[in-house]
Amino acid sequence: MPDWKPEIRQRLAELKLEPTREAAIIEELSQYLEDCYAELRASGATEGGAYQQTLTELNGSELLAHELRRAERKVTHEPIVLGTNRRTNMIADLWQDLRYAARGLRKHALLSTVVVATLSLGIGISAGVFTLINASALRARIDKDPGSFVRVFSSYTRDPLRPGRPGDTTLADYFAFRDRARSLRELIASTDFRPALEDDPSETRVRLTTCNFFEFYQPERMILGRLLQAEDCSTAKPVAVLSETAWRNRFASDPEIVGKAIHFNGQPVTVIGVVPRYAGQINGAIAWLPYTLETYLKASENLLHPDEAAWLTVEGRLNPGFSRRDAATELGLLAGQQDRLYPGRKSAVIVTDGSMIQEPGMGRTAVWVITLTMAVLILVVLITCANVTTLLLARAEARQQEVAIRLALGAGRARLIRMLLSETLLLACLAAPISLYFAYRIPPLLDGWLYPEPAPFSLAPDWRVFSYLAALSLLAGLLAGLAPACQSLSFDLVNSLKGRSSFFGRRADGLRLRGLLVGAQVAISFMLLVGTGFFVRAYQQMAAADPGFNTRQVLATRQWMRQQVPPQGSWAAFHRELAQRLETLPGVQSVAYASRLPFAPGAAPTLPVQVSGQAARPVAYNVISPEFFNTLDIPLVSGRAFQEADPFCGRACPVVVSQELARQFWPGQNPLGQTLRLPRGELLEVVGVARDTSTQRIGEPDDPLLYLRWNPNGGPLAPLARFSGDAGALARAVMTKVREAIPSAEVKTETIQAAIDFNLEIVWKFGTLLLILGALALFLAAIGIYGVVSFAVSQRAKEMGVRLALGAQKRDIYRVVFARSIRPIAVGLLLGLALALSAGAALARTLQMLRAPFSMNAYDPIAYVIAAVLFSTVALLALVGPARRATRVDPMAALRDE
Amino acid sequence: MQNINAQKFERELKKGGAELLVMSLLEARQRHGYELRKLIETRSDGALKFNAASLYLLLYRLEKRGWIEGRWVEKAGERRRRFYKLTKDGKKALAAQRGIWESFVAAINRVTRPENA
């Protein structure tokens, strides 16, 4: 029988049909010709005659070709060489892979949904938190064109050896920058100010600004009235723009407020407008007033004239064609010119993009905190990937036969990996938009939960978030897909083709890989749980801590003063008068002064002191008035407290020390009468020993502490008042009295307990956040363990069947399943322990760096034990289901399969 | 009828007729290409003949129009073959064409019948 296919193929060749279609047509026509030929031969024709006559059947095939050309789709032919990777037509291959992947996903809709949901959750939470970090720390807090935003930090010094700290700018320098800088435009200056509003003495935050402030920070609309205009800064008429919050809360949404006078620090100011929440609400400001009112409002201070006072935050925009570096150079030159006006002054200028991370003195800490937070979030993504990987591995196992056929037909391994990877990438691509939804929704939720007021600046994602999300999705897709893809490819080709993959003959690779993944999930989630444990324990310890003094019935007043000029002629008079005023308040029992309030932010100042015969060492100190111990209820264990009558310093200055200091400096000796030497030679003589307190970090005893007797004339100290009765009303009364005594001060009075509670709340919030992540991780890990063990059990059904047939009891089956599954879990727990120890140490270090008023014990055994017990319980629960299934295997059915 | 030359008339006639022939044969049951050719040849006593090229031209055209549908069928012990069957649309088209053909033939007959007063 002649082969007709070449004849037909030749006639169709130029049509360039799709290969499968061409093959079908050729097959059909050649069958026809075969029938024809066979019939001719049967009717007695010679071979040659039958061949010739059959060929006439193809006469007119040009018409057929013509018809087919119209009907069929053309494709470009390329040589297919078996067993090699084609490098041509990547796009077509990719498209083919994607279509194939999409079909596969539709076929396993449930698995795909679970995978997409898991990935979305992991990536989404991570992207959501990153969006918040990005909005608050990585970019300027401005809605419009953050790209050209600049913030100027000036530093001034008169000591050539000691550079100044970058911060605010003087008014004269601002004018110089504004008028002479060519690289910048729209320069504005503003400052925080905390006056009393109406008769409420508690601090209100307002912003004193230049009058172009609103051209820079444009609110979207006005609620009432108008914004500040240039003439508001030149006329003497005091005006203010109110925030919507203040208008609603303090003035009951008075529709007639525009034109009315309100009072800051008792001075009347006319309201000219009300604005909704906008980015200019810096530091929670509730009103904006011309900076020229500074003198008017503070009554006793005048920053507008002494040109050397640096009090303004300067912000602006880059002119097109200039970089921040150009601006810094130019402003540096201008500041140098300004320096000539103030002999001896030396200034420097830093220009940043206005983000928190670029802020001088803030950067290192911010980077550290952000890195730590992001590390936790990346861990969540990793758990998600591990989880998805275990889910997909089961499928990879199931499709080994398909892969084997492809390999046998000559598909390259790289090409196959690409095909398999495109599936997980497609899943990740599906998860990306859902994650993006999270990236929009999580920041406001988180922000509202962490802070009492919603952020005035935009929290919307930008290109950084989009890049982060894209990179994360890609990475997750690759990570989750690579192991299953490699798994599909690493097997015994011959057996897979035969469709036989018995448990006994299988290589253990897949199970080992799964064990590894489970171990990783266990490790990461265990670490997060321990982290939660740290916070919960810290909270417990803080809440139960005894600071060693009265925290609930003592009001501490913080006062900020820009200029250290005594209002009553001398600081001694100020202190005396203020104490008298406070003591007249009903409920106040005693009043004391201290240079450092308990749980004040920042590190306590230290003095280098020396005991004879020992090296000098720095010791924290507090300068106090004689009433201090009595007011705070700190008992003296021996000796006496300071007395008004004490000579300030005779042969030696009297000093009270803490028990801890006495223990460390004079172990086993009576500290009374002992002396300490200061670097300049002054002697301090111990007259009393006070009981140890905890005033630095809540729940932790203080380091050695030195109490120095105050010099009432030395400078302003913070007042403390012990009282009985209601704290709230009295705190307001105290603030009023302090403001009366020193009108220029910004004042905040609260009980010491309030400061503790504030910190407790922070710890609680962070603990809860970690708890949510930890619970999520635990849940994912449990699913992962369940999935892997179920799969292993189904793979070992035959083995279980054989065991049961040989007389194994249920107990034995449980033992087998548990014994084999517990290893990866135990290894994971050990790994998690190591991770938790190092992460705990990093966390403790961060808190120290941040000078947080609480500490964390990275070696708290209880946190570890609780996490381990919780984890083991959940893991065991996840094991019970599959193990029970293993005991129900029908031995006969299992054996029949083999 | 338009003024067309004889050759073109024959071609159109054959084309329309050929479609009608193939579809009529597929009306009862599905058949493969060679079977169709043999049936047409034997039933017309050799008057109507198709070669492979023209038969498949017709089949692919009808298939593209959605009137017939080809399907590979495997039977035990035989190689697979492509069988064609009439679709729903094809059945409608066949009924319409058959009606036109019958009235056409009747009209031709009436005109061309020899007059015998």
Side-chain angles (χ1 to χ4, degrees):
Chain A
M1 176 81 66
D3 183 4
W4 302 103
K5 286 181 180 165
E7 288 288 345
I8 304 165
R9 187 171 290 123
Q10 186 197 335
R11 285 171 164 78
L12 299 178
E14 64 181 63
L15 290 179
K16 293 186 175 156
L17 295 172
E18 223 179 315
T20 45
R21 177 69 176 141
E22 188 185 63
I25 293 176
I26 291 174
E27 185 180 350
E28 191 174 9
L29 283 175
S30 76
Q31 277 177 12
Y32 180 100
L33 296 184
E34 279 166 22
D35 287 344
C36 210
Y37 179 82
E39 197 181 307
L40 286 169
R41 287 287 286 147
S43 62
T46 61
E47 271 185 27
Y51 183 77
Q52 285 305 325
Q53 203 174 335
T54 307
L55 267 190
T56 60
E57 289 286 329
L58 291 176
N59 283 352
S61 60
E62 65 281 356
L63 267 179
L64 178 65
H66 176 75
E67 181 75 14
L68 287 173
R69 186 177 290 127
R70 284 201 335 204
E72 304 290 335
R73 201 162 56 86
K74 268 196 229 174
V75 294
T76 44
H77 276 277
E78 51 185 278
I80 298 171
V81 185
L82 293 182
T84 59
N85 292 317
R86 289 173 302 146
R87 295 206 172 275
T88 51
N89 218 347
M90 285 272 290
I91 301 294
D93 282 353
L94 191 67
W95 176 238
Q96 199 182 16
D97 287 348
L98 286 178
R99 272 193 327 189
Y100 182 73
R103 277 206 303 274
L105 299 189
R106 256 207 319 266
K107 210 165 118 193
H108 302 272
L110 183 66
L111 178 71
S112 311
T113 314
V114 172
V115 168
V116 170
T118 315
L119 280 178
S120 312
L121 206 62
I123 301 176
I125 288 181
S126 176
V129 178
F130 179 70
T131 309
L132 186 61
I133 291 178
N134 177 47
S136 44
L138 301 187
R139 68 175 183 215
R141 296 175 171 187
I142 185 163
D143 297 343
K144 288 176 197 101
D145 188 19
S148 68
F149 184 90
V150 292
R151 186 154 170 208
V152 180
F153 290 87
S154 305
S155 54
Y156 303 100
T157 179
R158 288 188 163 277
D159 180 351
L161 292 178
R162 234 187 300 166
R165 283 170 56 133
D168 291 340
T169 305
T170 68
L171 185 60
D173 285 2
Y174 161 69
F175 286 141
F177 296 162
R178 186 192 64 186
D179 300 335
R180 311 219 291 264
R182 287 189 306 119
S183 55
L184 298 175
R185 65 194 152 95
E186 296 178 35
L187 274 184
I188 60 165
S190 60
T191 189
D192 251 349
F193 178 43
R194 303 174 192 198
L197 173 59
E198 298 299 344
D199 46 8
D200 179 2
S202 56
E203 58 170 18
T204 328
R205 289 166 180 243
V206 307
R207 201 91 191 148
L208 298 178
T209 72
T210 50
C211 285
N212 55 354
F213 185 85
F214 285 98
E215 288 156 32
F216 190 82
Y217 282 106
Q218 295 164 348
E220 268 179 25
R221 63 195 167 87
M222 290 298 301
I223 291 176
L224 290 173
R226 64 170 177 92
L227 298 168
L228 289 179
Q229 291 161 356
E231 52 272 25
D232 293 321
C233 282
S234 47
T235 63
K237 201 179 164 213
V239 292
V241 174
L242 272 186
S243 76
E244 184 181 359
T245 333
W247 176 59
R248 289 197 189 286
N249 298 342
R250 299 291 190 92
F251 300 100
S253 308
D254 177 4
E256 306 290 320
I257 188 111
V258 172
K260 282 190 182 164
I262 59 174
H263 297 82
F264 286 107
N265 275 356
Q267 304 280 28
V269 171
T270 310
V271 177
I272 54 167
V274 178
V275 285
R277 199 147 48 86
Y278 76 114
Q281 216 152 346
I282 302 162
N283 291 343
I286 59 140
W288 296 264
L289 294 85
Y291 74 100
T292 43
L293 298 184
E294 198 270 344
T295 315
Y296 173 73
L297 292 173
K298 293 193 184 176
S300 68
E301 273 186 42
N302 189 346
L303 294 175
L304 295 175
H305 291 293
D307 281 336
E308 288 202 62
W311 58 291
L312 293 166
T313 306
V314 176
E315 292 160 323
R317 288 194 184 282
L318 283 175
N319 266 324
F322 290 95
S323 68
R324 291 191 174 82
R325 189 183 291 256
D326 299 337
T329 315
E330 190 184 18
L331 296 189
L333 286 173
L334 291 175
Q337 291 170 8
Q338 287 290 107
D339 283 347
R340 279 183 227 143
L341 304 175
Y342 310 97
R345 188 186 91 168
K346 178 131 186 57
S347 51
V349 177
I350 296 174
V351 174
T352 75
D353 66 0
S355 66
M356 193 208 270
I357 202 158
Q358 283 202 359
E359 211 167 296
M362 208 43 197
R364 219 166 64 95
T365 317
V367 167
W368 185 247
V369 173
I370 290 171
T371 311
L372 208 65
T373 317
M374 291 318 294
V376 172
L377 294 170
I378 295 286
L379 286 182
V380 173
V381 175
L382 284 183
I383 291 195
T384 325
C385 285
N387 198 274
V388 167
T389 307
T390 47
L391 287 174
L392 291 178
L393 269 178
R395 234 194 106 197
E397 204 79 36
R399 68 194 297 181
Q400 283 198 342
Q401 204 177 346
E402 173 202 333
V403 172
I405 292 171
R406 286 174 187 272
L407 278 177
L409 286 174
R413 282 180 187 250
R415 175 81 177 74
L416 273 182
I417 289 197
R418 215 178 78 186
M419 184 190 93
L420 295 168
L421 274 186
S422 55
E423 287 187 16
T424 42
L425 281 177
L426 194 66
L427 286 169
C429 286
L430 289 175
I434 308 178
S435 311
L436 189 62
Y437 173 78
F438 282 121
Y440 275 95
R441 290 308 300 269
I442 289 181
L445 282 178
L446 203 58
D447 180 62
W449 188 64
L450 284 175
Y451 306 103
E453 286 224 3
F457 48 89
S458 161
L459 297 176
D462 59 9
W463 62 269
R464 275 193 213 92
V465 175
F466 297 137
S467 320
Y468 178 78
L469 188 63
L472 213 57
S473 305
L474 198 68
L475 193 72
L478 287 177
L479 275 183
L482 208 55
C486 293
Q487 177 68 17
S488 305
L489 289 175
S490 64
F491 55 91
D492 172 4
L493 186 59
V494 177
N495 268 331
S496 292
L497 276 174
K498 287 181 189 159
R500 203 175 63 197
S501 52
S502 92
F503 175 74
F504 296 103
R506 172 187 301 281
R507 281 165 54 186
D509 272 9
L511 289 171
R512 204 182 311 140
L513 179 60
R514 264 186 218 98
L516 212 69
L517 286 167
V518 165
Q521 288 184 60
V522 169
I524 297 172
S525 46
F526 178 70
M527 188 182 113
L528 288 175
L529 280 182
V530 173
T532 314
F534 287 154
F535 275 96
V536 172
R537 290 285 295 158
Y539 181 84
Q540 272 184 341
Q541 280 165 4
M542 283 164 70
D546 173 17
F549 60 96
N550 191 338
T551 58
R552 294 183 189 276
Q553 296 304 115
V554 176
L555 284 169
T557 303
R558 278 186 286 156
Q559 39 192 8
W560 290 269
M561 283 168 252
R562 284 205 172 83
Q563 275 194 328
Q564 308 277 314
V565 180
Q568 276 89 358
S570 77
W571 286 116
F574 162 72
H575 286 128
R576 197 173 47 241
E577 258 182 52
L578 178 60
Q580 281 166 0
R581 284 172 196 234
L582 292 180
E583 273 160 1
T584 58
L585 290 172
V588 171
Q589 293 161 342
S590 73
V591 177
Y593 292 97
S595 63
R596 186 174 164 79
L597 295 173
F599 308 115
T606 57
L607 269 178
V609 294
Q610 195 178 11
V611 177
S612 54
Q614 291 180 21
R617 50 189 280 194
V619 172
Y621 69 91
N622 198 357
V623 178
I624 56 168
S625 72
E627 290 299 310
F628 181 82
F629 295 111
N630 178 27
T631 305
L632 264 74
D633 271 347
I634 301 176
L636 288 172
V637 241
S638 61
R640 60 173 178 89
F642 299 120
Q643 283 157 12
E644 284 296 347
D646 273 343
F648 184 62
C649 276
R651 184 184 64 84
C653 307
V655 67
V656 175
V657 298
S658 69
Q659 279 175 296
E660 182 63 24
L661 188 139
R663 260 194 301 277
Q664 289 195 15
F665 279 65
W666 305 283
Q669 300 175 38
N670 182 6
L672 292 179
Q674 303 275 11
T675 54
L676 293 161
R677 187 179 291 278
L678 292 177
R680 286 187 194 160
E682 299 106 315
L683 277 182
L684 304 174
E685 186 188 341
V686 179
V687 297
V689 178
R691 197 172 73 181
D692 279 333
T693 53
S694 158
T695 58
Q696 290 285 321
R697 284 181 295 276
I698 302 163
E700 228 182 89
D702 287 334
D703 293 334
L705 187 57
L706 208 54
Y707 295 97
L708 300 174
R709 185 181 184 280
W710 76 332
N711 170 5
N713 234 344
L717 296 182
L720 289 147
R722 184 148 60 89
F723 66 97
S724 58
D726 175 41
L730 197 61
R732 275 194 296 282
V734 168
M735 277 188 274
T736 313
K737 294 288 177 197
V738 175
R739 278 185 191 284
E740 278 170 19
I742 181 162
S744 67
E746 294 167 5
V747 182
K748 183 171 185 182
T749 302
E750 58 181 14
T751 61
I752 296 174
Q753 188 60 37
I756 297 178
D757 290 343
F758 175 77
N759 287 301
L760 273 176
E761 200 186 326
I762 293 179
V763 172
W764 184 248
K765 279 179 172 171
F766 274 98
T768 316
L769 267 191
L770 256 184
L771 182 67
I772 293 173
L773 289 180
L776 180 73
L778 182 65
F779 176 68
L780 286 176
I783 291 185
I785 294 173
Y786 177 87
V788 169
V789 177
S790 312
F791 185 73
V793 163
S794 70
Q795 292 284 310
R796 289 162 178 234
K798 285 163 207 158
E799 180 195 334
M800 301 300 169
V802 172
R803 282 174 187 270
L804 285 169
L806 291 177
Q809 297 296 305
K810 281 189 176 181
R811 218 177 20 192
D812 304 320
I813 300 292
Y814 271 112
R815 213 176 44 226
V816 171
V817 173
F818 275 62
R820 295 208 179 155
S821 323
I822 273 180
R823 228 184 79 177
I825 298 178
V827 172
L829 280 179
L830 279 179
L831 193 67
L833 187 71
L835 279 175
L837 279 170
S838 44
L843 189 65
R845 196 178 146 222
T846 311
L847 290 174
Q848 226 171 15
M849 255 176 84
L850 290 175
R851 302 202 186 290
F854 55 89
S855 63
M856 202 153 277
N857 180 6
Y859 309 102
D860 183 352
I862 299 198
Y864 290 91
V865 169
I866 291 178
V869 168
L870 185 65
F871 201 96
S872 309
T873 315
V874 172
L876 284 181
L877 285 178
L879 284 178
V880 167
R884 222 167 63 188
R885 209 144 7 98
T887 62
R888 296 200 182 137
V889 171
D890 175 5
M892 292 317 291
L895 289 175
R896 256 202 313 275
D897 275 355
E898 184 59 16
Chain B
M1 187 161 286
Q2 281 171 352
N3 180 17
I4 51 172
N5 62 37
Q7 208 185 349
K8 204 173 175 188
F9 175 67
E10 193 185 341
R11 204 168 64 219
E12 287 299 315
L13 198 61
K14 269 188 181 167
K15 203 168 118 188
E19 284 179 9
L20 184 59
L21 283 178
V22 168
M23 289 202 291
S24 305
L25 289 175
L26 292 178
E27 194 182 11
R29 63 184 186 86
Q30 56 177 13
R31 300 173 199 280
H32 57 79
Y34 191 68
E35 191 183 354
L36 283 170
R37 172 211 147 116
K38 290 304 290 178
L39 273 174
I40 293 172
E41 200 177 328
T42 47
R43 289 200 186 165
S44 67
D45 290 335
L48 296 174
K49 265 191 186 171
F50 279 95
N51 74 355
S54 44
L55 178 68
Y56 278 98
L57 174 67
L58 186 59
L59 285 174
Y60 291 153
R61 189 190 291 150
L62 289 175
E63 189 174 22
K64 195 183 155 220
R65 234 179 260 166
W67 289 355
I68 65 171
E69 191 185 350
R71 203 158 54 93
W72 288 100
V73 177
E74 277 178 80
K75 286 183 186 161
E78 284 179 33
R79 59 187 175 180
R80 63 177 198 158
R81 276 181 174 281
R82 197 146 198 260
F83 279 81
Y84 291 90
K85 69 170 192 181
L86 211 55
T87 63
K88 241 183 203 167
D89 284 350
K91 278 177 189 158
K92 278 184 213 158
L94 173 62
Q97 283 205 3
R98 193 175 269 151
I100 293 170
W101 180 259
E102 275 163 10
S103 48
F104 173 71
V105 171
I108 295 284
N109 281 342
R110 277 199 298 280
V111 174
T112 55
R113 190 181 300 140
E115 294 179 46
N116 39 12

